[in-house]
Amino acid sequence: MQEKVLPSFVDATLQSLLDRAIAHLVEQFGDRDGQPGVHPDTLAITAIDLGARPTTWAHHNGDRPIYPASIIKLFYVVASYVWEDAGKLTPSAELDRSRYSAIVHSSNDATSYLLDILTGTTSGPELSPIAFQLWQDRRNVLNRYFHALGLPGNFCQKTWTDGPYGRDRQSYELNNRNRLTTNGTAWLMHSIVTGQAVSPERSQAILGLMKRDLDPATYIGDPDNQIQGFLGEALPLDAQLWSKAGETSFSRHDCALIQLPDRPPYILVAFGDGPEYFNNWKWLPALSQFWLEQMQPRSTLAV
């Protein structure tokens, strides 16, 4: 994978649009009657206009590390392709199945398997201090990889339905939760879209896993769908969406590549950090609706 090149500048026009979008969200969903709502301090968003030449960026709190929920799964899937291409993972149907389930269905079990084979570690009972130190060093291999690319964050924990136990809890309690920034996540998305995350063929395979069908008949009734309550819900049926969402009882996030017929493609990454975001299924669709209405139609760039 290429070394990270996050923007050293932001585009004034795109930044103005992002600032207006945040003001729109605060006006709609801000604090009410003493209850917390959407607030600039607990919100992080990064946007990339892929139709501009050169590509333009804007962000709000884009360099703030935040617990990413299931969006970390995208990083693990990318790393699995890097490892496979380097000969450190053997291609197999089980590896492909775990990638598919981690992205398409956001499976925690599949993610657990991926992290085990990427790091050579397994979950299990608590370890003695020396054994735990060795285990944690192996588990940190993804931190060393992504940090060498210049990406900030913490990339060493599984995702849980209930919570960590045993040696995973030992690790988690060391203030060692997963963390990502929206800038770093947007950079990874940009690298996938441009075929630089891994080979162009591998990048297309990842996009294939992220492709979402916007026909409501395909997702309504599925409690684990990644469209309702997320950026894709506001999109028209003739749009195209590639995304990976994440949520916990204290967060609601989305990471998406969006293509509309009359507009250039763009990337939106939005992290809402707090239970007020998880409980609000409208703020991400509202952000998406505002963005697609404000983006000016111009010649499209095929993805």
Side-chain angles (χ1 to χ4, degrees), residues 1-3 5 78 82 145 149 187-204:
M1 186 190 293
Q2 64 174 354
E3 291 188 6
V5 184
V78 168
V82 174
Y145 173 70
L149 294 174
W187 174 86
L188 188 76
M189 276 292 292
H190 183 267
S191 296
I192 294 169
V193 172
T194 56
Q196 299 176 84
V198 278
S199 68
E201 294 76 17
R202 299 292 204 186
S203 296
Q204 284 299 312

Side-chain angles (χ1 to χ4, degrees), residues 39 72 79-80 82 89 94 111-112 114 129 135 142 186 190 199 211 236-237 250 256 259 261:
H39 192 282
I72 196 73
S80 75
V82 174
L89 284 182
E94 194 71 352
T111 306
S112 176
L114 280 174
W135 179 91
L142 288 173
H190 183 267
S199 68
K211 189 73 167 65
L237 288 177
F250 49 85
Q259 170 78 75

Side-chain angles (χ1 to χ4, degrees), residues 13 16 26 35 113 132 194 199 211 225 233 270 276 285 298:
T13 301
S16 176
V26 171
Q35 297 299 312
Y113 172 79
F132 173 72
T194 56
S199 68
K211 189 73 167 65
N225 82 77
E233 184 177 342
E276 61 273 20
R298 60 185 110 148

Side-chain angles (χ1 to χ4, degrees), residues 119-184:
T119 63
T121 63
T122 58
S123 301
E126 294 92 335
L127 295 168
S128 67
I130 293 177
F132 173 72
Q133 184 177 1
L134 293 172
W135 179 91
Q136 185 65 67
D137 182 68
R138 290 195 298 270
R139 180 63 76 83
N140 281 335
V141 65
L142 288 173
N143 278 333
R144 292 190 287 272
Y145 173 70
F146 285 116
H147 292 171
L149 294 174
L151 286 173
N154 196 39
F155 311 82
C156 72
Q157 299 292 349
K158 297 183 175 182
T159 53
W160 308 102
T161 300
D162 182 13
Y165 288 86
R167 63 196 65 172
D168 290 291
R169 182 188 58 80
Q170 286 178 283
S171 176
Y172 206 75
E173 289 182 347
L174 296 175
N175 192 29
N176 202 23
R177 302 168 72 214
N178 285 335
R179 287 181 291 274
L180 294 176
T181 67
T182 58
N183 279 353

Side-chain angles (χ1 to χ4, degrees), residues 237-252:
L237 288 177
D238 60 355
Q240 295 189 76
L241 171 69
W242 298 261
S243 72
K244 182 68 198 81
E247 63 177 348
T248 67
S249 60
F250 49 85
S251 63
R252 182 175 292 275

